[in-house]
Amino acid sequence: MTVLFQARGLRKAFGNGEHRRYAVDGVDITVAEGEALALAGESGSGKSTIGLIMARLLDHDEGEILFDGQEIGKCSARRAAQQPWRAQIQMVFQDAGGAFDPRLSISDSVALPLRRLSHSRGNALTHAVEDALDRAGLAGHLFRRKPHELSGGQLARAGIARAIALRPRLLILDEPTAALDVSVQAGILHLLNELRRDLNMAMVFVSHDLNVLRVLCSRVMVMEHGNIVEEGPVGRVFASPAHPFTTRLLAALPKWPRSEGLPHQLPGSALIIHSQ
Amino acid sequence: MKYGSSALLLALFLALAIAGPAVAPYNPLAYALADRLQPPSLHHWFGTDALGRDVFSRTLAAARTDLPAAAAAVILSSLIGVSVGAACGYLGGAIDRWVGRVVDVMMAFPLFVVAVALVAALGNSLTNVVLATAVINLPFYIRLVRAEIAARRQLGYVMAARLAGCGHGYIIGRVLIPNIAPIIAVQISLNLGWAVLNTSGLSFIGLGVRPPTPEWGALVSDGAQYLLTGQWWVALGPSLVLVLAVFAFTLIGDTAHDLFSPRSAR
Amino acid sequence: MPVLAPLLTVRRLSLAFALPQGGRASVLDGLSLDIAPQEALALVGESGSGKSVFALALLRLLDRHAEITDGEIRIEGEDLLHASDKRMQDLRGKTLAIIFQNPASSLNPIRRIGRQIADVLLAHGERSADAARRRAVQMLARVGIQDAARRANAYPFELSGGMKQRVMIALALAASPRLLIADEATTGLDVTTQAMVMDLIHEQARANNMATLLITHDLALAAERCDRIAVIHAGQLVESAPAARLLTAARHPYTRALLTATPHAGSTLANLRAIPGQAPDTAAADLPACRYYARCDRRTELCKSLPPMQTASSNGAHVVACHHPL
């Protein structure tokens, strides 16, 4: 296992004076090359803040951040755009619609990072944009559309296309499917898994939805009040949680009846079909 | 109806300013003492003034003073106001706080009085009237743009631009400002009406243009002396045109607002 | 099981929206549904399926672009669609009550929460303002708000999301309705808060002999919390069955597809599948008779032209609307 990303002792506070509160309070994270890591927690747990800090869109107060062995946490988020590692750490946002400039076509938006960070021009640029959109499974006739002309699922694919266009080595995804219907979500989950495998990208999934994290990730970190309370392989943590908070989180999930036996079966409802 | 009439009025005023002297029946500066203080007639639509000059021709010619002056003031204040407002809204922090205080202090004064004071201090010239008009309109642009940019700087597409390696200049100039351009356009068209009113207001109290240069505010002020002696027409013509000009720009601003804001468009 | 007269009966309910650019969208198409007294029924559908419009239709709270084109709604035998506006006001709250997804926007932000509950009580026959206020505090205590006498003086912004939803429930329960409609009432809440809110609804329903209609996109939540589930797709009811049966022995291709798209404790990525295509545009002139037609892998020409055939199990508990059920 090669370590790709490492953060130690991360802290981040919001507010002033007596309202000052640590959203992230001493967190260590290690992400291996090509790994799928889950960051689970409820609203206000600090998981989204960590996502933004990892993507270097938000400054942290304390702690160090290493990417590929290089310290990148000293450079402020304001100056991150000009750094050589910018192309290698990308992010996908929850609100895919809001993450696209309403004035630009989808392909222009996807072209922007390629133009700015890999300095592609002309045919090479067009080709790279179309390749990314194809990989994300967006139909060709949608490339020139404006964001408001796309459905939620199509926008999610476009957002992923933009993030992978630069072939980043680390992709942060903040609730990438929370706004989608399950019928669409399943397709996006498959897409993300394939992209991770094919492009050998490490992915960090930030989500409150344990069932989504379960199918997508191999390792999970559970957050509560700015702290990581439990960490381990997804299968083990979900099957036998050690921390009471994780136990509570799992217990609150709606139960799915097993296919054998019908626990709530009403008396006398044996199924006999009328053929009318 | 509203869209049509506002477009028509705008076209009318542009035509007046451009073709004014060519279609004016008389030389706006020529005295004709024999024809002094004539009431409106077929020959003199708005009548003549105390020196026998045709008020209609003078009103037409004044459009060439007032409209460019107002436009220059608006261009100046929008350029500076948008830049300052965008910087404050995007960067926040100390700059934003200080600019905010200055703007608040400015807004605490009656703005017309500020303009009078500025012209008095800078010297009585049309250029300084334009400058003063630009300065008193600055706070509106700064406040508007600051608020709109601040509301958008954390949006997903701005974050995405940062991830795409765009610097702050690119994000302000190529991402944020284009997205609020419709809002700025509405402000500019509404502002044109105020600027016309302000320019002519300053001239009315004797600042800016020097006689005999025709200017709406000066024409109204000229005519006002004759109201008591019964020669109402000297002030009436220019006043009506001034009202119509301000009305036209306000209507255009309102139309622009309707066209650009999605909620009221339906 | 004793056959009870249904509390709510909906028959062939069809509803259309007039579109601003002209034309009409058929939002609900021939929907029939019963809710028994004290029953917990879930109406499950994806976004745009018409499930929330259905809830609003039950309360006659639709805006003026919506028109009910056919069908009838009866509650305790009373015809809702022809009731006077005055009568409807009476029924809302007293017979039917609703809680919405966003409690923050459903509560009056400038009125103390105790007052808001007292208002409902006063509107529904309580005479004395004092008594109303006392009962409001009791209601708040009943929905699990601690220190209710003090909290009754709080404004909505002083409460957390889960707390606001409790207040909404107290408001809805104030006039002891017969049917509580929860329209995505826990969507956007954390799972632990969701569990608490659902527990509360369940408790209150049992204590007050109240039926509940849970409107949700979440099949797992519906299955855990309700006796029966009805599935809606693009304005058509495709299947309804006892909850556990629907999850284990679904017969409609859409229900099956929805189940295989929903991640749950036993899921792996390999057995999770998206539903191809999307629900049809209900404003289209050439809607197929079965609106799942274009996405369905069992479709035949019949499905395009002939309305889906209703098939019921012997006891009538499991109904599927499909020409080719599984």
Side-chain angles (χ1 to χ4, degrees):
Chain A
M1 182 187 103
T2 332
V3 171
L4 177 68
F5 178 99
Q6 196 167 24
R8 278 193 290 254
L10 277 190
R11 293 185 90 200
K12 170 75 185 173
F14 291 107
N16 292 311
E18 59 178 300
H19 297 292
R20 191 170 169 84
R21 199 182 64 82
Y22 278 92
V24 178
D25 197 1
V27 165
D28 300 338
I29 297 179
T30 306
V31 186
E33 201 104 44
E35 181 189 23
L37 173 67
L39 207 54
E42 305 218 295
S43 55
S45 63
K47 59 186 194 303
S48 292
T49 306
I50 288 196
L52 289 171
I53 292 174
M54 290 180 80
R56 301 303 296 122
L57 288 172
L58 183 71
D59 280 318
H60 54 296
D61 298 336
E62 289 166 45
E64 57 176 3
I65 302 174
L66 298 165
F67 181 72
D68 214 9
Q70 182 197 351
E71 165 67 61
I72 62 166
K74 294 224 168 26
C75 157
S76 85
R78 275 187 187 273
R79 287 183 292 118
Q82 283 78 36
Q83 302 304 315
W85 41 262
R86 178 69 288 169
Q88 302 192 28
I89 307 175
Q90 290 287 307
M91 182 162 180
V92 173
F93 301 96
Q94 172 177 1
D95 174 18
F100 280 93
D101 188 332
R103 293 165 38 259
L104 301 183
S105 70
I106 293 302
S107 54
D108 284 346
S109 278
V110 174
L112 189 62
L114 290 162
R115 231 196 306 246
R116 304 282 305 186
L117 291 170
S118 70
H119 306 287
S120 314
R121 296 285 182 275
N123 279 340
L125 177 65
T126 316
H127 184 79
V129 169
E130 286 175 0
D131 178 59
L133 286 164
D134 277 339
R135 269 183 191 279
L138 199 72
H141 68 279
L142 302 172
F143 293 1
R144 303 298 315 165
R145 298 248 178 114
K146 295 280 173 67
H148 70 266
E149 297 170 309
L150 261 55
S151 72
Q154 291 164 346
L155 281 167
R157 287 180 186 274
I160 292 166
R162 173 171 59 189
I164 60 153
L166 289 163
R167 300 289 163 84
R169 293 164 70 196
L170 176 62
L171 187 60
I172 319 281
L173 301 103
D174 186 8
E175 306 270 11
T177 60
L180 302 177
D181 279 321
V182 286
S183 63
V184 179
Q185 170 179 275
I188 302 289
L189 299 182
H190 278 285
L191 168 69
L192 290 170
N193 194 52
E194 281 158 25
L195 288 172
R196 188 179 62 79
R197 221 181 37 214
D198 298 350
L199 307 177
N200 191 36
M201 254 184 277
M203 290 186 174
V204 177
F205 291 90
V206 178
S207 175
H208 68 281
D209 192 333
L210 300 184
N211 285 330
V212 164
L213 295 176
R214 185 191 322 253
V215 299
L216 220 43
C217 301
S218 49
R219 202 157 60 87
V220 60
M221 303 178 100
V222 183
M223 285 199 70
E224 187 193 18
H225 304 318
N227 294 295
I228 307 263
V229 296
E230 185 160 4
E231 182 178 350
V234 164
R236 206 195 65 211
V237 170
F238 283 21
S240 51
H243 193 277
F245 176 73
T246 317
T247 313
R248 207 143 49 80
L249 213 53
L250 285 162
L253 284 180
K255 310 289 169 296
W256 190 266
R258 294 163 203 266
S259 39
E260 64 268 12
L262 302 175
H264 307 298
Q265 191 168 12
L266 295 175
S269 65
L271 193 70
I272 300 164
I273 310 304
H274 293 273
S275 44
Q276 291 182 338
Chain B
M1 170 59 194
K2 188 157 100 182
Y3 299 172
S5 45
S6 60
L8 198 72
L9 277 171
L10 179 68
L12 178 76
F13 276 99
L14 285 180
L16 273 185
I18 294 163
V23 296
Y26 299 91
N27 179 344
L29 302 178
Y31 301 161
L33 292 173
D35 292 334
R36 51 200 301 268
L37 293 172
Q38 296 285 313
S41 65
L42 276 179
H43 296 293
H44 299 288
W45 290 359
F46 288 178
T48 61
D49 67 7
L51 298 174
R53 294 175 296 195
D54 181 45
V55 177
F56 180 65
S57 301
R58 286 180 66 73
T59 307
L60 278 189
R64 287 206 148 186
T65 312
D66 283 275
L67 297 184
V74 166
I75 289 169
L76 208 60
S77 52
S78 60
L79 282 180
I80 300 172
V82 169
S83 316
V84 173
C88 290
Y90 186 78
L91 299 172
I95 308 169
D96 183 31
R97 274 197 303 279
W98 279 106
V99 172
R101 266 173 222 170
V102 172
V103 165
D104 287 344
V105 168
M106 276 186 76
M107 301 284 278
F109 287 103
L111 289 174
F112 188 72
V113 178
V114 173
V116 171
L118 277 172
V119 177
L122 295 171
N124 192 358
S125 73
L126 186 59
T127 316
N128 289 337
V129 165
V130 170
L131 273 179
T133 307
V135 168
I136 63 166
N137 281 318
L138 266 180
F140 298 99
Y141 288 96
I142 295 177
R143 278 194 174 175
L144 177 79
V145 173
R146 195 207 87 92
E148 295 292 339
I149 298 271
R152 284 171 173 76
R153 72 174 170 196
Q154 298 288 2
L155 284 188
Y157 62 82
V158 175
M159 294 285 210
R162 289 171 64 189
L163 283 172
C166 301
H168 304 307
Y170 187 101
I171 290 175
I172 294 176
R174 305 275 303 271
V175 180
L176 285 168
I177 290 182
N179 269 296
I180 62 164
I183 300 168
I184 299 172
V186 171
Q187 176 71 11
I188 286 178
S189 38
L190 286 172
N191 200 206
L192 270 171
W194 304 339
V196 168
L197 204 59
N198 196 71
T199 313
S200 44
L202 288 172
S203 305
F204 181 85
I205 60 167
L207 297 174
V209 292
R210 284 153 210 271
T213 314
E215 194 284 334
W216 288 332
L219 290 177
V220 175
S221 147
D222 263 2
Q225 323 171 26
Y226 299 98
L227 281 178
L228 290 176
T229 48
Q231 285 94 4
W232 46 266
W233 58 85
V234 188
L236 184 69
S239 307
L240 284 180
V241 172
L242 177 57
V243 167
L244 200 62
V246 175
F247 175 69
F249 286 120
T250 312
L251 196 64
I252 290 159
D254 206 39
T255 307
H257 178 77
D258 285 1
L259 287 177
F260 291 140
S261 77
R263 225 180 312 160
S264 51
R266 295 259 158 262
Chain C
M1 209 168 101
V3 180
L4 297 167
L7 172 70
L8 177 85
T9 325
V10 178
R11 286 289 169 269
R12 303 176 320 279
L13 184 69
S14 294
L15 187 150
F17 277 174
L19 301 173
Q21 66 270 32
R24 273 151 51 114
S26 157
V27 179
L28 296 178
D29 180 38
L31 215 114
S32 295
L33 194 69
D34 284 350
I35 301 179
Q38 299 166 46
E39 183 183 30
L41 174 74
L43 182 61
V44 175
E46 297 190 274
S47 52
S49 60
K51 58 190 192 298
S52 290
V53 173
F54 177 74
L56 294 177
L58 292 185
L59 290 150
R60 284 208 3 221
L61 286 174
L62 294 158
D63 71 19
R64 56 201 165 78
H65 304 295
E67 190 201 339
I68 291 175
T69 50
D70 190 22
E72 63 171 22
I73 306 175
R74 285 179 182 279
I75 187 140
E76 295 183 310
E78 182 171 350
D79 184 350
L80 269 191
L81 295 181
H82 295 101
S84 69
D85 287 353
K86 174 104 188 31
R87 177 69 188 141
M88 262 329 285
Q89 272 177 28
D90 225 31
L91 288 173
R92 283 182 213 126
K94 224 172 189 164
T95 309
L96 289 153
I98 188 164
I99 45 180
F100 293 105
Q101 175 176 351
N102 191 347
S105 64
S106 308
L107 288 168
N108 183 344
I110 56 161
R111 210 159 163 74
R112 297 175 194 279
I113 56 169
R115 282 287 194 81
Q116 296 192 43
I117 297 172
D119 288 345
V120 176
L121 294 169
L122 291 167
H124 289 289
E126 177 65 62
R127 291 283 163 80
S128 136
D130 247 15
R133 202 150 319 151
R134 271 199 306 278
R135 270 200 47 212
V137 173
Q138 285 168 14
M139 298 290 313
L140 287 172
R142 230 172 72 193
V143 295
I145 289 183
Q146 298 187 348
D147 200 2
R150 195 174 55 86
R151 280 286 167 71
N153 287 320
Y155 289 98
F157 76 89
E158 299 175 86
L159 307 174
S160 70
M163 204 83 108
K164 271 182 240 173
Q165 200 53 288
R166 283 171 191 269
V167 174
M168 279 307 297
I169 293 169
L171 260 178
L173 296 177
S176 314
R178 309 284 300 123
L179 173 65
L180 177 69
I181 304 167
D183 185 4
E184 297 279 13
T186 58
T187 305
L189 296 178
D190 286 326
V191 277
T192 49
T193 318
Q194 164 171 287
M196 281 191 295
V197 170
M198 291 309 305
D199 284 345
L200 176 65
I201 291 177
H202 183 70
E203 269 165 37
Q204 295 294 326
R206 211 165 33 187
N208 300 301
N209 294 327
M210 186 174 67
T212 49
L213 172 59
L214 179 71
I215 292 180
T216 180
H217 67 280
D218 187 343
L219 258 175
L221 184 73
E224 187 189 47
R225 300 291 180 166
C226 294
D227 308 321
R228 205 151 58 86
I229 299 178
V231 180
I232 183 173
H233 175 267
Q236 292 178 325
L237 212 58
V238 298
E239 184 164 13
S240 72
R245 172 167 295 284
L246 191 99
L247 258 62
T248 52
R251 302 194 61 220
H252 196 283
Y254 174 66
T255 314
R256 278 283 168 103
L258 205 54
L259 287 166
T260 47
T262 306
H264 54 84
S267 299
T268 59
L269 193 57
N271 61 29
L272 213 56
R273 268 191 304 281
I275 307 181
Q278 36 188 301
D281 174 10
T282 53
D286 55 346
L287 270 179
C290 170
R291 294 180 179 182
Y292 189 59
Y293 174 78
R295 307 171 86 179
C296 186
D297 53 5
R298 296 172 73 86
R299 64 175 177 237
T300 60
E301 278 306 298
L302 195 63
C303 311
K304 215 161 151 183
S305 47
L306 212 63
M309 186 169 66
Q310 299 261 349
T311 318
S313 59
S314 66
N315 62 353
H318 190 161
V319 182
V320 58
C322 182
H323 290 297
H324 314 289
L326 290 137

